Amino acid sequence: MSDGPVVVIGLGTMGRPLALTLTRAGFDVVGSDVSPEALKAFSSAGGRGVSLEQVPVTEARAVVTMLPEGRDVRQLYESAVLGAARPGTLLIDCSTIDVSTTAALAAEASGQGLEMVDAPVSGGPEGAASGALSFMVGGSEDGVERAMPYLQAAGSRVMWFGPSGSGQAAKACHNLIVGITGLAVFEGFALAEALGLDAARFHELCSGAAAACWTLEHRCPVPGVVADAPSSNGYEPGFAAALMAKDLRLAQQAAGSVGCATEFGSLAAERFAAFVERYGGSRDYSAIYQIIRSGADS
Ligand code: NAD
């Protein structure tokens, strides 16, 4: 199916720049969101946004979702997608959700003649805005081939891991690493500051040494060290702490399903869950640094 618009649902931190990147790449994109603010921000940035009731799912060639959790994707699919899309419509879910919900929804979609591909991402809003995301993909060979033009337009790397749910499995393992290394970076900076080291100089050291990693480069937790890091902007996400807590919970769920012990992943999951419960989850995950630094929860 080559005609019809590409519908993008979920225009938050990631979905908005993703939809705009697809628009710039020449696709006829229609975006939607439950939040009027998100719709407004999308339209102000030049996107074509419509309310959920007006989304042209019946005419869409592809429906791309970028939603917070598995229950959001299920709710949307059940209320607006599965019964409405034409047979042959491609469903690409870029949200980070659990493997079992993905597999169940893919089977339900297949029963309606729809192909669903899971394609969670890494690279943050900056990657979505510049078309430099990494996509971790699961689905049939045919589905993944059909999804390629969209994924390649928004990503610099598209990696297929196998059948439905494999992209989510890769993402769970990936974010287990990001969660643990994030805490290591934040703890390292808390100790460096407590020892009286200059944060910017310490950052310069780590960037060119063995401690270098994505969190260090893009999510330095000390305000003013990296100009466009969330910490330099009041810890506005970025990647919300609630999403980090969710991803680490998903990783623990995946580990439990195969009896794999992930000790540090489990500690990181507990730490972020406690942070979100006590301080809220809307700020960037690097805001946990302030608590580590103050020793408030020790
Ligand atoms: P976000 O909360 O900023 O955006 C989610 C959007 O979905 C919101 O605008 C919300 O109003 C909308 N929404 C929720 N339920 C809806 C529904 N039923 N119908 C329509 N719209 C609905 O979240 P985000 O940071 O954009 O993350 C989206 C997904 O991408 C998450 O699964 C997250 O784990 C993943 N992700 C985020 C990042 C990041 O850096 N922010 C990086 C990689 C992956």
Side-chain angles (χ1 to χ4, degrees), residues 9-17 32-39 52 65-73 75-77 79 93-97 120-126 133-134 136 168 171 174-175 214 219 237-240 242-244 246-247 250 284-285:
I9 303 180
L11 300 171
T13 306
M14 293 298 287
R16 181 173 65 246
S32 189
D33 197 292
V34 274
S35 149
E37 292 79 32
L39 263 186
L52 278 177
T65 37
M66 185 60 105
L67 301 171
E69 307 219 22
R71 61 170 179 255
D72 302 312
V73 180
Q75 188 269 333
L76 180 83
Y77 272 32
S79 64
D93 182 33
C94 297
S95 328
T96 302
I97 69 170
V121 305
S122 174
E126 50 274 70
L133 289 171
S134 290
M136 294 151 262
Q168 296 295 353
K171 174 69 180 171
H174 176 274
N175 272 30
W214 190 89
R219 298 291 180 266
F239 185 48
L243 295 176
M244 176 57 91
K246 175 210 51 165
D247 285 6
L250 294 180
D284 189 71
Y285 74 104

Side-chain angles (χ1 to χ4, degrees), residues 56-129:
V57 170
T58 49
E59 295 148 37
R61 66 162 97 167
V63 178
V64 179
T65 37
M66 185 60 105
L67 301 171
E69 307 219 22
R71 61 170 179 255
D72 302 312
V73 180
R74 171 168 284 288
Q75 188 269 333
L76 180 83
Y77 272 32
E78 286 176 350
S79 64
V81 177
L82 293 181
R86 288 177 289 177
T89 306
L90 180 63
L91 311 181
I92 306 176
D93 182 33
C94 297
S95 328
T96 302
I97 69 170
D98 55 292
V99 175
S100 55
T101 297
T102 294
L105 289 177
E108 286 170 44
S110 172
Q112 309 269 335
L114 309 170
E115 182 96 57
M116 178 184 170
V117 165
D118 48 303
V121 305
S122 174
E126 50 274 70

Side-chain angles (χ1 to χ4, degrees), residues 26-292:
F27 294 105
D28 173 20
V29 174
V30 178
S32 189
D33 197 292
V34 274
S35 149
E37 292 79 32
L39 263 186
K40 201 168 157 210
F42 180 60
S43 302
S44 311
R48 179 151 65 105
V50 299
S51 69
L52 278 177
E53 296 70 41
Q54 294 172 316
V55 173
V57 170
T58 49
E59 295 148 37
R61 66 162 97 167
V63 178
V64 179
T65 37
M66 185 60 105
L67 301 171
E69 307 219 22
R71 61 170 179 255
D72 302 312
V73 180
R74 171 168 284 288
Q75 188 269 333
L76 180 83
Y77 272 32
E78 286 176 350
S79 64
V81 177
L82 293 181
R86 288 177 289 177
T89 306
L90 180 63
L91 311 181
I92 306 176
D93 182 33
C94 297
S95 328
T96 302
I97 69 170
D98 55 292
V99 175
S100 55
T101 297
T102 294
L105 289 177
E108 286 170 44
S110 172
Q112 309 269 335
L114 309 170
E115 182 96 57
M116 178 184 170
V117 165
D118 48 303
V121 305
S122 174
E126 50 274 70
S130 61
L133 289 171
S134 290
F135 284 96
M136 294 151 262
V137 186
S140 72
E141 193 166 356
D142 178 54
V144 173
E145 206 169 292
R146 288 178 56 206
M148 273 300 173
Y150 312 106
L151 304 181
Q152 283 175 337
S156 52
R157 281 202 315 169
V158 181
M159 298 189 65
W160 180 36
F161 283 90
S164 178
S166 309
Q168 296 295 353
K171 174 69 180 171
C173 301
H174 176 274
N175 272 30
L176 175 87
I177 295 174
V178 178
I180 297 171
T181 53
L183 284 176
V185 169
F186 307 150
E187 205 167 278
F189 272 88
L191 178 60
E193 278 213 300
L195 291 170
L197 301 180
D198 179 78
R201 200 143 167 72
F202 179 63
H203 184 267
E204 188 185 341
L205 163 82
C206 294
S207 301
C213 66
W214 190 89
T215 298
L216 183 88
E217 194 182 338
H218 297 280
R219 298 291 180 266
C220 177
V222 182
V225 174
V226 173
D228 55 1
S231 59
S232 302
N233 187 25
Y235 294 96
E236 277 286 308
F239 185 48
L243 295 176
M244 176 57 91
K246 175 210 51 165
D247 285 6
L248 288 167
R249 177 171 46 79
L250 294 180
Q252 288 313 107
Q253 206 174 307
S257 74
V258 289
C260 180
T262 49
E263 194 183 339
F264 291 107
S266 165
L267 283 172
E270 279 171 28
R271 198 72 173 82
F272 276 106
F275 174 74
V276 168
E277 199 182 316
R278 186 144 186 207
Y279 301 100
S282 58
R283 289 186 300 157
D284 189 71
Y285 74 104
S286 56
I288 199 172
Y289 160 80
Q290 296 177 306
I291 305 307
I292 298 173

